[in-house]
């Protein structure tokens, strides 16, 4: 059919507006909307523009803010006497211009009917804005839609809240994601629109301070993302963040993410406050009286803790001095005097968390406005109330978020500002730095029965990464900071020293346990020099576990726990004067049998034994113990590691000893702890056959691995730092040279390292293989042929050989 062509200047004018030197942000979105308004109005006029017809913008376009790649959400509204060809005379020029169009054609009655059945359609119509045609028709639509929305609010608002919960479950929390969805994630632009919809019911309104600025910030980032990628994407990918930051004039991608996180937290907190208010109103209307608010988002942040107690409440039930419970929240008592009680914010927070409540928005605002800073050092009560707050576990999270939203946390802990909303560009970490600290305290709260000083454990958990806001090693910076903070909190010299040790060495125990030989006396001595007392060891042990659990699934496992527990037990014995350096145990009967079989056959003999995380039947496997006996020959480590890689077995640790079971020559006994990458172990017979073929040269392991890698689908990778290969200081072991390798994990990595070590002619006494997310951190205890540590020059040559293989 023949169609009107779009005005030839629209595309050019739109392009000039987007790429030209004109305004950005909201002014540009408004200018783009006005340009599009005029264009569509011209199309309606060119199509005849009969009476009883109106063009109406809805959704984001209806709000008058059009992002560079946004769809045009347009409704052709009519009074029932529409010419069937009119819509095509409008839509076709839009399609011809290449604009993304989301259109509908309805009467007012039809629009109301669709809105009644489809909440998303109703939300779009709440932002209806007249573009052209019969203005009275648009006004009638707006009036009807708002009337319907307010009348149906008691039924529709719970549905709206459920939509937000579903989005959050699918897309996560914008405040903590390295590649967040700016629109759909919790705290994103959809939630800001939902808050405006709640306000339109006249039942409740969101806290408005900073809310509009937060939504504008996210919209500006989305604009820059659209322009940088040329696509209508809402996901701020890692590969796009530098370009987006540059377009916005932001220092770097980390600064950009911090601004995004801050905006998202503002919106998320406003959502929590608003939905609690909605629940109270709806409960009162339904005759249920004043009851505790059902959590808006029970799996995250405020919702998780706020939902800890969902029961009827007694109006103004006393909780603590100056603090009472009312309508499911902690509020100030009538006689409270914030200006004369600087401990009141911590007392209110502790009382709320211990009772599974949150602090009301009005109360937090009043505390922030009226309370004076705490004196230095803090009164004993302030320190005790902070510990009480942290000891509440998960219930402390929404309370902490409420304090942080009004600046009370940084008033208590000025150093908090440097870690607040700070991203962690590490696949192992699931939280920003500040939230990781809170989550570590949550984990530690569940372990306080394991230590004699739970107060020191909780404070150390809250502050252990506080140095990440400063240059250099965050543990060293954190030690300096925590000494100052502990003194300001009123801790004595001995307790301050303990906190400093915990912060400075919060990674030492797990790093040593996973990268050093636990049977080497130097390993135990290294930890003993760090913790001078059994009490400090006890605290460090629990802090290590809480920190790892709060980091993410890749940071802790039954295997890691067993290594840390074993090392802690050895150190505890050393501190108690009961430690004796272990001697190499005699081979077991099963190992002797394997060695005899290998000596007689001249080939590999092996056994596979599954290990479990716990003692319960059916406990999750933590790995498989692979014991391999094979007559000694060059190139053994690299060959065996390659065969394991072919069978998709990840090596967690490796040990080696030499036997001569029948006097026919040495047999090497290798003890490997391995895990199946995809959950299924290979058959022992197949593994044995491939080992035999690899050892006799009929299976080219390196070629097979290369072929498998070549056949794998090619995906765009991310830039990774170069590998680091270093010789540890001599104090790491008195009986071997320790070679440390840190590299991006990849199939066959241990095979390549093993081939380099085999080629260098050194013996591997033990290997400690650790993978954190996508990063491998491996340690190899090396000796010469006589079983002695390598000379310094020789060790450097071996390190260079490994570095060359990985380079």
């Amino acid at each position: 059919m023949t169609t009107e062509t779009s005005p030839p200047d629209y595309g050019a004018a739109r392009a000039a507006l987007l790429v030209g030197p004109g305004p950005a942000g909201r002014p540009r979105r408004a200018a783009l909307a006005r340009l599009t308004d005029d264009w569509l109005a011209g199309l309606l006029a060119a199509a005849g523009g009969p009476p009883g017809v109106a063009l109406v913008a809805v959704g984001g376009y209806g709000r008058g803010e059009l992002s560079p790649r946004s769809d045009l959400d347009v409704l052709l509204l009519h009074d029932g006497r529409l010419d069937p060809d009119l819509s095509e005379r409008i839509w076709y020029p839009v399609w011809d211009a290449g604009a993304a169009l989301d259109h509908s054609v309805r009467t007012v009655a039809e629009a109301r009917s669709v809105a009644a059945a489809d909440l998303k359609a109703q939300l779009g119509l709440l932002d209806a804005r007249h573009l052209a045609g019969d203005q009275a028709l648009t006004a009638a639509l707006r009036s009807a839609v708002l009337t319907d929305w307010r009348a149906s609010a008691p039924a529709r608002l719970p549905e709206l809240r459920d939509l937000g919960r579903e989005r959050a479950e699918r897309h996560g929390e914008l405040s903590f994601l390295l590649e967040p969805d700016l629109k759909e994630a919790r705290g994103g632009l959809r939630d800001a629109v939902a808050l405006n919809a709640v306000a339109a019911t006249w039942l409740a309104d969101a806290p408005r301070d900073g809310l509009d600025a937060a939504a504008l910030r996210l919209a500006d980032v989305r604009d820059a993302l659209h322009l940088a990628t040329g696509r209508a994407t809402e996901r701020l990918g890692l590969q796009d963040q530098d370009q987006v930051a540059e377009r916005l004039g932001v220092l770097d991608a980390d600064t950009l993410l911090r601004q995004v996180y801050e905006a998202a937290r503002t919106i998320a907190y406003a959502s929590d406050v608003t939905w609690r208010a909605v629940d109270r109103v709806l409960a009162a209307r339904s005759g249920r009286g004043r009851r505790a608010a059902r959590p808006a988002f029970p799996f995250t942040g405020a919702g998780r803790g706020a939902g800890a107690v969902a029961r009827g409440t007694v109006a103004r039930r006393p909780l603590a001095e100056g603090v009472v419970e009312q309508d499911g929240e902690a509020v100030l008592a009538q006689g409270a005097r914030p200006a004369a009680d600087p401990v009141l914010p911590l007392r209110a927070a502790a009382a709320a968390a211990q009772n599974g409540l949150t602090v009301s928005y009005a109360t937090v605002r009043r505390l922030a406005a009226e309370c004076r800073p705490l004196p230095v050092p803090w009164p004993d009560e302030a320190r005790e109330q902070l510990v009480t707050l942290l000891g509440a576990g998960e219930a402390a999270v929404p309370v902490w978020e409420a304090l942080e939203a009004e600046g009370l946390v940084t008033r208590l802990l000025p150093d908090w500002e440097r870690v607040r909303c700070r991203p962690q560009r590490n696949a192992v970490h699931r939280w920003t730095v500040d939230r990781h600290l809170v989550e570590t305290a949550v984990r530690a709260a569940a372990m306080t029965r394991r230590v004699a000083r739970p107060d020191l454990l909780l404070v150390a958990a809250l502050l252990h990464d506080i140095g990440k806001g400063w240059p250099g090693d965050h543990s060293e910076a954190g030690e300096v900071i925590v000494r100052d903070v502990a003194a300001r909190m009123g801790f004595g010299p001995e307790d301050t020293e303990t906190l400093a040790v915990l912060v400075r060495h919060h990674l030492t125990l797990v790093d040593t346990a996973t990268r050093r030989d636990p049977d080497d006396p130097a390993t135990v001595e290294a930890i003993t020099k760090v913790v001078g007392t059994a009490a400090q060891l006890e605290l460090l042990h629990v802090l290590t576990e809480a920190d790892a659990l709060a980091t993410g699934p890749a940071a802790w496992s039954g295997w890691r726990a067993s290594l840390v527990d074993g090392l802690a037990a050895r150190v505890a014995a050393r501190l108690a004067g009961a430690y004796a350096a272990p001697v190499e145990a005699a081979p077991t009967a099963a190992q002797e049998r394997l060695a005899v079989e290998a000596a007689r056959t001249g080939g590999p003999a092996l056994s596979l034994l599954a290990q479990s995380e716990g003692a319960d039947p059916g406990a999750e496997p933590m790995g498989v113990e692979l014991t391999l006996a094979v007559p000694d020959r060059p190139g053994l480590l690299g060959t065996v590691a390659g065969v394991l890689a072919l069978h998709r077995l990840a090596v967690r640790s490796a040990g080696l000893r030499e036997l001569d079971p029948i006097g026919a020559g040495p047999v090497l006994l290798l003890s490997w702890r391995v895990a199946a990458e995809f959950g299924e172990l290979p058959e022992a017979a197949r593994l044995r056959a491939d080992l035999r073929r690899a050892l006799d040269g009929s299976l080219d392991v390196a070629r097979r691995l290369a072929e498998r890698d070549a056949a794998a689908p090619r995906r765009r990778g991310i830039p990774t730092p170069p590998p680091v290969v270093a010789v540890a200081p001599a104090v790491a072991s008195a009986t071997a040279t320790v070679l440390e390798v840190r590299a991006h994990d990849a199939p066959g990595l241990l095979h390549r390292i093993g081939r380099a070590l085999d080629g260098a002619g050194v013996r591997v006494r033990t290997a400690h293989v650790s993978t954190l997310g996508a990063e491998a951190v491996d340690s190899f205890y090396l000796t010469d042929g006589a079983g002695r540590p390598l000379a310094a020059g020789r060790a450097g040559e071996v390190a260079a050989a490994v570095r060359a293989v990985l380079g």
Side-chain angles (χ1 to χ4, degrees):
M1 63 176 289
T2 302
T3 64
E4 295 280 348
T5 58
S6 60
D9 60 345
Y10 174 72
R14 181 179 182 279
L17 185 60
L18 294 179
V19 302
R26 171 179 271 180
R28 180 170 57 195
R29 291 189 292 274
L32 182 56
R34 287 194 300 271
L35 176 67
T36 307
D37 292 353
D38 295 342
W39 177 49
L40 292 176
L43 292 178
L44 179 62
V53 173
L55 272 181
V56 182
V58 297
Y61 182 27
R63 291 189 291 275
E65 290 203 347
L66 204 54
S67 293
R69 294 286 173 174
S70 292
D71 291 353
L72 301 181
D73 295 329
V74 183
L75 167 63
L76 181 58
L77 194 64
H78 63 95
D79 61 4
R81 298 172 293 171
L82 181 69
D83 177 358
D85 294 332
L86 179 62
S87 61
E88 293 184 349
R89 292 199 296 271
I90 298 172
W91 306 144
Y92 272 91
V94 177
W95 290 325
D96 290 343
L101 178 66
D102 187 353
H103 63 91
S104 57
V105 181
R106 296 189 178 105
T107 64
V108 171
E110 289 169 343
R112 294 177 69 184
S113 177
V114 169
D118 186 343
L119 177 58
K120 293 181 180 179
Q122 189 169 35
L123 293 175
L125 289 172
L126 287 176
D127 293 310
R129 180 173 59 85
H130 182 73
L131 296 178
D134 189 337
Q135 200 160 14
L137 200 59
T138 304
L141 173 69
R142 283 184 52 81
S143 177
V145 168
L146 281 169
T147 298
D148 292 344
W149 176 242
R150 288 164 184 154
S152 63
R156 274 296 167 94
L157 286 180
E159 187 180 351
L160 178 60
R161 178 179 50 202
D162 289 343
L163 279 179
R165 183 185 296 115
E166 292 167 5
R167 283 199 316 275
E169 288 173 345
R170 286 196 308 272
H171 299 282
E173 293 200 58
L174 201 162
S175 301
F176 308 117
L177 297 170
L178 278 177
E179 294 187 300
D181 188 307
L182 300 170
K183 189 175 184 179
E184 303 292 346
R186 170 165 153 76
L189 291 166
R190 286 275 192 210
D191 283 344
V193 172
L195 292 178
N196 289 333
V198 173
T201 66
W202 293 348
L203 295 182
D205 195 9
R208 289 289 157 182
D209 285 354
L211 185 58
D212 186 54
L216 284 177
R217 188 57 184 165
L218 294 185
D220 290 349
V221 174
R222 180 175 63 170
D223 284 2
L225 178 62
H226 285 185
L227 293 172
T229 63
R231 295 181 288 110
T233 179
E234 312 296 338
R235 185 169 298 280
L236 184 59
L238 291 172
Q239 70 276 10
D240 303 317
Q241 290 172 10
D242 287 324
Q243 294 181 65
V244 172
E246 184 178 357
R247 281 184 174 272
L248 293 171
V250 175
L251 178 62
D252 54 27
D254 276 4
T255 304
L256 170 69
L257 278 183
R258 290 193 76 177
Q259 293 180 357
V260 168
Y261 294 163
E262 288 171 352
R265 289 192 188 183
T266 298
I267 295 172
Y269 177 64
S271 296
D272 291 332
V273 172
T274 302
W275 287 117
R276 287 199 297 269
V278 168
D279 282 335
R280 287 195 296 272
V281 172
L282 296 184
R285 286 196 168 198
S286 67
R288 289 185 284 124
R290 287 183 271 187
R291 297 179 66 85
R294 186 162 71 92
F297 299 93
F299 57 91
T300 61
R304 179 176 62 182
V309 178
R311 59 183 184 273
T313 65
V314 178
R316 308 194 73 78
R317 178 172 68 92
L319 297 176
E321 182 184 350
V323 188
V324 298
E325 177 186 359
Q326 180 175 324
D327 290 332
E329 296 179 324
V331 303
L332 294 184
Q334 292 179 352
R337 297 292 180 266
D341 189 355
V343 181
L344 186 55
L346 282 172
R347 190 185 311 122
Q354 286 291 328
N355 285 275
L357 308 171
T358 191
V359 185
S360 79
Y361 171 69
T363 295
V364 179
R365 295 272 293 175
R366 185 180 172 194
L367 291 171
E370 298 182 22
C371 279
R372 295 180 289 104
L374 284 167
V376 177
W378 289 8
D380 290 347
E381 186 199 357
R383 189 172 61 255
E384 292 164 3
Q385 294 294 352
L386 174 64
V387 171
T388 302
L389 167 62
L390 299 177
E394 288 198 358
V397 175
V399 177
W400 189 272
E401 289 178 341
L403 298 180
E404 192 169 46
E406 297 301 329
L408 284 167
V409 170
T410 50
R411 187 184 300 182
L412 292 167
L413 303 169
D415 298 286
W416 195 262
E417 181 61 31
R418 281 184 172 263
V419 297
R420 189 173 63 86
C421 294
R422 181 173 291 277
Q424 304 203 74
R425 295 187 178 276
N426 185 320
V428 175
H429 278 278
R430 59 178 299 196
W431 305 110
T432 53
V433 177
D434 59 335
R435 181 57 177 268
H436 168 69
L437 294 174
V438 175
E439 290 289 334
T440 303
V442 168
R443 297 287 187 166
M447 306 175 187
T448 51
R449 300 298 182 271
R450 292 165 51 181
V451 298
R453 289 294 303 274
D455 57 334
L456 297 181
L457 172 65
L458 292 169
V459 173
L462 183 69
L463 300 176
H464 73 277
D465 275 347
I466 198 71
K468 284 190 174 178
W470 295 86
D473 186 313
H474 77 278
S475 298
E476 295 177 2
E479 178 187 4
V480 175
I481 295 169
V482 81
R483 288 184 184 277
D484 177 64
V485 173
R488 283 191 280 117
M489 287 182 175
F491 284 104
E494 185 176 342
D495 289 347
T496 296
E497 183 62 30
T498 296
L499 288 170
V501 168
L502 295 176
V503 171
R504 174 66 181 86
H505 294 287
H506 67 272
L507 295 175
T508 301
L509 192 59
V510 67
D511 284 352
T512 305
T514 55
R515 301 173 193 176
R516 294 290 182 266
D517 184 353
D519 292 329
D520 191 322
T523 302
V524 174
E525 189 64 25
I527 302 300
T528 307
K529 290 179 179 178
V530 167
V531 291
T533 66
Q536 287 186 353
L537 174 64
E538 179 184 72
L539 288 165
L540 185 62
H541 187 183
V542 177
L543 176 62
T544 297
E545 183 175 345
D547 181 21
L549 289 171
T551 297
W556 197 245
S557 64
W559 168 69
R560 288 181 186 280
S562 68
L563 294 179
V564 170
D565 291 348
L567 179 56
R570 288 176 170 87
V571 176
R574 172 73 174 78
L575 291 171
Y579 174 74
V583 296
E584 186 175 36
T588 66
Q591 291 172 335
E592 289 275 12
R593 285 195 297 270
L594 289 175
V596 169
E597 180 184 348
R600 286 177 176 171
T601 63
L606 63 87
S607 69
L608 290 169
L609 178 64
Q611 305 291 315
S612 294
E613 300 235 356
D616 297 334
E620 178 187 355
M622 61 181 285
V624 174
E625 195 73 32
L626 166 63
T627 305
L628 172 68
V630 62
D632 193 8
R633 66 191 68 190
L636 192 61
L637 176 63
T639 300
V640 175
V643 173
L644 296 181
L646 279 178
H647 285 265
R648 300 192 183 278
L649 291 173
V651 178
R652 286 177 166 172
S653 65
L656 183 148
R657 66 188 302 176
E658 187 176 286
L659 302 176
D660 188 359
I662 60 175
V667 171
L668 291 184
L669 191 69
L670 294 91
S671 300
W672 303 70
R673 180 169 290 170
V674 300
E677 290 182 9
F678 300 111
E680 291 190 14
L681 291 170
E683 295 178 1
R686 288 185 57 199
L687 185 58
R688 183 185 297 108
D690 282 350
L691 282 168
R692 185 183 298 276
R693 292 168 56 212
L695 291 169
D696 67 22
S698 61
L699 174 62
D700 189 336
V701 175
R703 183 175 61 83
R704 283 282 301 277
L705 286 172
E707 289 174 349
R708 190 179 72 183
D709 291 344
R714 292 296 176 188
R715 296 182 176 88
R716 180 173 63 177
I718 59 172
T720 59
V724 174
V725 182
V727 178
V731 293
S733 174
T735 58
T737 296
V738 180
L739 185 72
E740 294 185 337
V741 180
R742 304 183 183 193
H744 192 72
D745 194 27
L749 176 66
L750 185 58
H751 166 63
R752 297 197 301 275
I753 297 173
R755 289 183 64 188
L757 295 176
D758 291 336
V762 296
R763 302 294 296 271
V764 179
R765 192 181 72 190
T766 59
H768 301 270
V769 181
S770 177
T771 304
L772 290 170
E775 299 303 312
V777 183
D778 302 340
S779 299
F780 302 88
Y781 281 66
L782 309 178
T783 65
D784 60 18
R788 298 174 303 222
L790 306 180
R794 181 79 176 108
E797 293 172 359
V798 173
V802 174
R803 199 176 296 118
V805 168
L806 299 183

